[in-house]
Amino acid sequence: MSLPRIAVDAMGGDEGVGVMVSGAALARRRHDRFKFLLVGDEERIKRALDSHPNMREASEILHCEDVVAGDEKPTQALRRAKTTSMGLAINAVKRGDAGAAVSAGNTGALMAMSKLALRTMPGIDRPALAALMPTLEDHDVIMLDLGANTECDARNLVQFAIMGAAYSRIVTGSDAPRVRLLNIGTEDTKGTESLQAAATRLREATGLALRFEGFVEADKINRGNVDVVVTDGFSGNIALKAIEGAARFVTDLLKDAFRSSVRSKIGFLISRPATELLRHHLDPNNHNGAVFLGLNGVVVKSHGSANAAGVANAVAVAARLLEEDLTHRIAADLAELGEDRLRDHGNGIVYK
Amino acid sequence: MSLPRIAVDAMGGDEGVGVMVSGAALARRRHDRFKFLLVGDEERIKRALDSHPNMREASEILHCEDVVAGDEKPTQALRRAKTTSMGLAINAVKRGDAGAAVSAGNTGALMAMSKLALRTMPGIDRPALAALMPTLEDHDVIMLDLGANTECDARNLVQFAIMGAAYSRIVTGSDAPRVRLLNIGTEDTKGTESLQAAATRLREATGLALRFEGFVEADKINRGNVDVVVTDGFSGNIALKAIEGAARFVTDLLKDAFRSSVRSKIGFLISRPATELLRHHLDPNNHNGAVFLGLNGVVVKSHGSANAAGVANAVAVAARLLEEDLTHRIAADLAELGEDRLRDHGNGIVYK
């Protein structure tokens, strides 16, 4: 099957052109159907391509020198949509010149530019940022929103649930992923009004390709018994970073402990395969590639400090979503929910 | 120095009378100035006391049979404030019959009962639940609110900062603990209006015994470079549970990894002192004892599944707060802020 090419913002991120091009090359070594539009400084991209002969006939370069800075305000970046590597990569998707865009640049700017260029799809009020996280089981969990929308109403949360489930069906192969709303307790009375209204709406909805199972608390996100965790962007960002921070905290403590005596050092050397397994399971590069769901086009955010393997994973995520036509899946589910029933009644609460 | 006695709700929690009494006895073995009012079923308490001769002259029993259930609604529990072990323990503090109450029972009920019986202290609109968490450094970090207040305005957050700093001064011995507001980014423009207004207020305040250092993201809570993390109860609860869950997730993965081969099993046995060190550092019992700050009296929540060592720590926290007179410290700081300046202007934003 032929796949639309993927526009890669070669200039975004902390690691620069080399890592972005190596990541694309790595993805292509796994699946040679990948084709790329590499957006950025032609000289530097060409130099990077020298070490990847497999990329020669698979990639075109779109030259530009301007780049969105990591700490730039989205409103400022928007003005340079036509000159920056990020803006041009997104624009390629808009023009149909590429099927998806991948960038490791400034998340807020990427969101703002994508929204403006690609527009939100019909039936969705706000796009959301979704990411995969490891679990104790052999499949990942999807969490959204992770920071695109600081405050969300019930209507947004219901739409996030539908988008997250469509994404999860692609990732897990399940017909009806288990969806839960992130809350501070599992009882019906817990949390904000928006959460309670969203829960009611999802509980009563029929015909959706998801299984709504109520609330989930933040300590259960990674246990493997939920496929999609739905939350507003503030709480989602807090939860995601708290999990990342705690995982790093524990592994740092473990390192210190292993260094604390000669005996422990020896034990560490012997059990190295075990700790390597742990390191591999937790390595963010293996779960790299957050997706902006709800746009008329696929945009994938690679972590700013991802290595080539991480970038390759982000590229693979973009390809997967193109192949499986995520956008149409979401549209079909929204139709099932009944778009008219989702009309906003002004108070953010969804009525049937 | 003589210390007011501590009322222990001997019936609350998952572990029952035995663990609560053993915990109190353990605390007393460390500091024999502790005296207790043990509230609960007299027969069972007496039986538990049999194995702790050091408790005999240090404790009085207040008999009652009724207990607040773990899943009981706070409003329902409130009606039984005069018959339940939790209600009677709090009431002993109100009457001056005890200096502090410790309970491992239902958190919502404990909060509701404490608020009704002890009332919020002057200058505080809402009490907050604060807990200690481990860091990479050799001191704990305090986070509040952890779930007592689902939604908070700027005024609440400023008050939480003052209360948390007063608590931190006792725990860390620092004159001016480093205080930060939990947010989804560190730039001034990030987060909700309440967060931004609270940051402005704290930045401009003079004379407070704290050092306000702006925002902190959830992945930096445990790094050891912040003493007090201030947040609304919803985000705080999400962050706390996400950290607990992720720590358990990583240690579970580590266990699996150690079991994955004979070599790893041998390595595990040899490096056991290292993993025991880690286990000790992360054991919630060693950080047990969350405090309701902002009441006219000291109420400490012990974790429902804490063991005797955990209960002893909760008792020690209560004793420490009595000794150091936390309530007066908070009152002094509120006076420094200028209570009139904290008057609510209706929109939740604090004006100077």
Side-chain angles (χ1 to χ4, degrees), chain A residues 78-108:
Chain A
L78 273 180
R79 279 181 231 138
R80 296 188 296 120
K82 287 189 177 144
T83 57
T84 53
S85 56
M86 183 188 281
L88 289 170
I90 296 167
N91 206 42
V93 177
K94 184 185 178 184
R95 286 197 327 270
D97 205 16
V102 175
S103 172
N106 183 324
T107 310

Side-chain angles (χ1 to χ4, degrees), chain A residues 196-271:
Chain A
Q196 287 168 27
T200 304
R201 183 71 191 94
L202 286 167
R203 212 174 281 120
E204 290 172 357
T206 52
L208 291 180
L210 62 84
R211 207 157 64 227
F212 178 64
E213 298 190 336
F215 298 128
V216 62
E217 293 181 81
D219 55 342
K220 306 290 190 311
I221 294 171
N222 302 94
R223 304 311 291 178
N225 43 20
V226 55
D227 299 311
V228 182
V229 174
V230 175
T231 169
D232 66 272
F234 193 90
S235 307
N237 193 282
I238 297 279
L240 177 73
K241 285 180 184 157
I243 289 170
E244 286 174 356
R248 197 164 53 243
F249 172 60
V250 175
T251 49
D252 284 354
L253 284 180
L254 190 67
K255 263 183 233 159
D256 284 353
F258 274 132
R259 279 195 209 108
S260 64
S261 72
V262 175
R263 177 175 162 177
S264 296
K265 276 180 199 157
I266 294 170
F268 171 71
L269 288 176
I270 294 173
S271 52

Side-chain angles (χ1 to χ4, degrees), chain A residues 73 134-136 150-151 182-184 189 191-192 195 217-219 222-223 234-235 237-239 241-243 245-254 257-258 260 263-264 267-271 273-275 277-278 281-282, chain B residues 73 134-136 150-151 182-184 189 191-192 195 217-219 222-223 234-235 237-239 241-243 245-254 257-258 260 263-264 267-271 273-275 277-278 281-282:
Chain A
K73 285 203 179 150
T135 71
L136 282 182
T150 305
E151 279 158 296
L182 185 64
N183 201 346
I184 59 173
T189 53
T192 60
L195 277 170
E217 293 181 81
D219 55 342
N222 302 94
R223 304 311 291 178
F234 193 90
S235 307
N237 193 282
I238 297 279
K241 285 180 184 157
I243 289 170
R248 197 164 53 243
F249 172 60
V250 175
T251 49
D252 284 354
L253 284 180
L254 190 67
F258 274 132
S260 64
R263 177 175 162 177
S264 296
F268 171 71
L269 288 176
I270 294 173
S271 52
T275 51
L277 207 66
L278 176 72
H281 199 95
L282 292 178
Chain B
K73 287 203 177 146
T135 71
L136 283 181
T150 306
E151 280 158 296
L182 185 64
N183 201 346
I184 60 173
T189 54
T192 60
L195 278 170
E217 294 181 81
D219 56 341
N222 303 94
R223 304 311 290 178
F234 193 89
S235 306
N237 192 282
I238 297 278
K241 285 181 185 156
I243 289 169
R248 197 163 54 243
F249 172 60
V250 175
T251 48
D252 284 354
L253 284 179
L254 189 67
F258 275 133
S260 63
R263 179 177 160 175
S264 297
F268 170 72
L269 287 176
I270 295 173
S271 51
T275 51
L277 207 66
L278 176 72
H281 200 94
L282 292 177

